[in-house]
Amino acid sequence: MNIIVCVKQVLDPEIPPAKFKIDPETKQVVPPAGVPPVISVYDERALEGACRLKDKNKGKITVISVGAEKAADVIKHAISMGADDGFVLSDPAFENLDSFGIAYVLSKAIQKIGGYDLVLCGRQAADWGAGQVGSILAEILGIPVVTLACDIEAADTSVRVKRIVNDGYEIVEAPMPSLVTVSSEIGLPRLPAGMRLMMARKKQIPVWKAQDIGAESSQMDKGNAHTEITGLSVPTRKTECEMITGATLSEAAINLVSKLANLT
């Protein structure tokens, strides 16, 4: 069983709020110095789902990531968890693409790898949280998509997915190849093993440019993007404190109730 997992390198969500900075002019998050980026938490769950399928059905896990060449670190993390191979997709033409552009680049890499039974993605990225790439990618590849999976089982030529819905879960089946987006309810990802850590550290991760995967510049033209970031800001919080008093405790309580009743 050949599985391709799409992962993204994101800002470490555990950084202190004081270190979170943005550039309003470029509408970009400014990476804090000395804090390495990490694999998106939902993508790590997708990788865990792939490892569980490999444990039961054997096969191969290939991981791909669009980003800077430093994204090799998340590929190595995936290999330390159980993946077999991986590629970084890095090219100036891939920078600042919207969900459609990212899905296009991933589709070209997946078509180059070929021979896959299943494509797994996180339900959404941990930074922007759009939750669009998986479904768009399936549309481009022309394969079925099942979203919000909390359990995945493979049976012959189909995949059986338990997916989260508002009032519980439902179980659906789809023929392979299919694309499944994985939710955090699938469970915690496994810890990297010692020997695999050493192997991953020594692994050379190939970097594919646009020409390597046959990506057409017209498909990555920012002028044809489907979405545009028109503004980026950090929300501010205003805190006020007012002491509610009274001649007696009862009067203070009545004043407090009156104050709460008039809050808008």
Side-chain angles (χ1 to χ4, degrees):
M1 183 177 192
N2 292 325
I3 307 171
I4 298 176
V5 184
C6 305
V7 302
K8 183 180 182 181
Q9 192 176 44
V10 300
L11 195 67
D12 189 341
E14 299 298 328
I15 65 169
K19 286 196 171 185
F20 182 79
K21 307 291 183 186
I22 63 168
D23 184 341
E25 296 298 323
T26 62
K27 305 180 186 68
Q28 296 288 325
V29 175
V30 180
V35 181
V38 298
I39 184 173
S40 176
V41 61
Y42 298 109
D43 297 344
E44 196 173 26
R45 264 59 173 188
L47 181 60
E48 172 61 26
C51 290
R52 293 179 188 177
L53 287 168
K54 181 184 172 183
D55 291 342
K56 292 181 179 178
N57 306 283
K58 306 299 181 185
K60 179 181 179 182
I61 300 174
T62 303
V63 182
I64 56 176
S65 180
V66 180
E69 294 189 14
K70 191 171 177 53
D73 291 344
V74 296
I75 301 293
K76 291 184 176 183
H77 176 77
I79 291 174
S80 70
M81 284 180 63
D84 300 279
D85 213 348
F87 303 92
V88 171
L89 314 175
S90 184
D91 191 289
F94 301 163
E95 296 176 1
N96 301 321
L97 291 175
D98 66 356
S99 298
F100 289 84
I102 293 295
Y104 171 73
V105 173
L106 290 170
S107 72
K108 298 302 290 183
I110 291 171
Q111 288 166 351
K112 177 172 181 173
I113 295 169
Y116 58 90
D117 301 297
L118 197 61
V119 179
L120 299 183
C121 303
R123 59 177 289 174
Q124 63 195 74
D127 48 5
W128 293 101
Q132 299 173 334
V133 170
S135 298
I136 300 170
L137 177 56
E139 174 69 18
I140 296 173
L141 293 173
I143 60 177
V145 58
V146 182
T147 58
L148 304 177
C150 62
D151 189 43
I152 310 168
E153 293 182 2
D156 296 329
T157 59
S158 65
V159 62
R160 188 168 184 265
V161 181
K162 182 178 179 181
R163 66 183 300 270
I164 302 296
V165 294
N166 288 337
D167 54 353
Y169 65 86
E170 62 183 11
I171 296 175
V172 298
E173 288 189 3
M176 290 193 283
S178 288
L179 186 147
V180 178
T181 71
V182 179
S183 188
S184 54
E185 285 82 359
I186 198 169
L188 294 174
R190 64 194 62 192
L191 294 174
M195 287 300 294
R196 293 201 65 89
L197 276 171
M198 295 176 63
M199 182 183 71
R201 192 174 296 122
K202 297 177 181 177
K203 185 83 171 179
Q204 295 296 315
I205 308 300
V207 177
W208 284 349
K209 304 290 186 183
Q211 62 184 14
D212 296 322
I213 57 176
E216 300 176 7
S217 57
S218 60
Q219 297 291 326
M220 299 176 288
D221 185 351
K222 309 309 190 287
N224 296 329
H226 293 70
T227 58
E228 177 187 3
I229 299 175
T230 57
L232 186 66
S233 62
V234 177
T236 57
R237 294 181 178 178
K238 184 179 180 181
T239 303
E240 295 181 348
C241 181
E242 179 181 351
M243 299 301 296
I244 308 298
T245 60
T248 63
L249 287 176
S250 297
E251 183 177 328
I254 292 172
N255 291 340
L256 175 61
V257 171
S258 176
K259 186 73 176 180
L260 293 173
N262 292 317
L263 286 178
T264 57

